[in-house]
Amino acid sequence: MGSGHAGHSRRRLAAEPAHHPRPADGRQHTLRECLDADLRLARSTIRTPDFLEGVRASLVDKDRTPAWQYGY
C-alpha cells in the first residue's frame, strides 16, 4: 500500500477487545462460535473512527492521506 498507510493504526490492534477469541483459540470452539466471534469483531471494527477515515482516504476521496485519530 502507499505511504499514506505506513502509519496504520497500531494502537487499534492493541486495543482489540479481549472478548474476541484469538485464532489460536479456535480449536476450542465450534465453527458457529468462531463465525459469530468474527462477525462481532468485524461489526465493532467498522464502527471505529480510524476505519471510517481509512475508507474515506482510500475509497471515497482517494487521497490516501488518512487523518488518524489517536486516543479515542
Side-chain angles (χ1 to χ4, degrees):
M1 297 196 148
S3 61
H5 296 281
H8 277 76
S9 179
R10 290 184 190 95
R11 72 183 154 59
R12 175 70 185 124
L13 296 174
E16 184 176 304
H19 63 277
H20 294 296
R22 293 169 298 175
D25 296 335
R27 287 178 245 132
Q28 300 169 3
H29 300 282
T30 66
L31 176 60
R32 171 55 50 201
E33 291 170 332
C34 291
L35 292 174
D36 286 342
D38 191 48
L39 181 59
R40 282 192 308 274
L41 179 59
R43 284 181 172 166
S44 65
T45 299
I46 64 172
R47 291 184 178 111
T48 63
D50 278 352
F51 180 84
L52 298 173
E53 177 59 16
V55 169
R56 183 214 54 83
S58 296
L59 302 176
V60 178
D61 294 342
K62 297 183 177 154
D63 61 9
R64 300 181 73 87
T65 55
W68 304 123
Q69 294 181 14
Y70 297 97
Y72 64 87

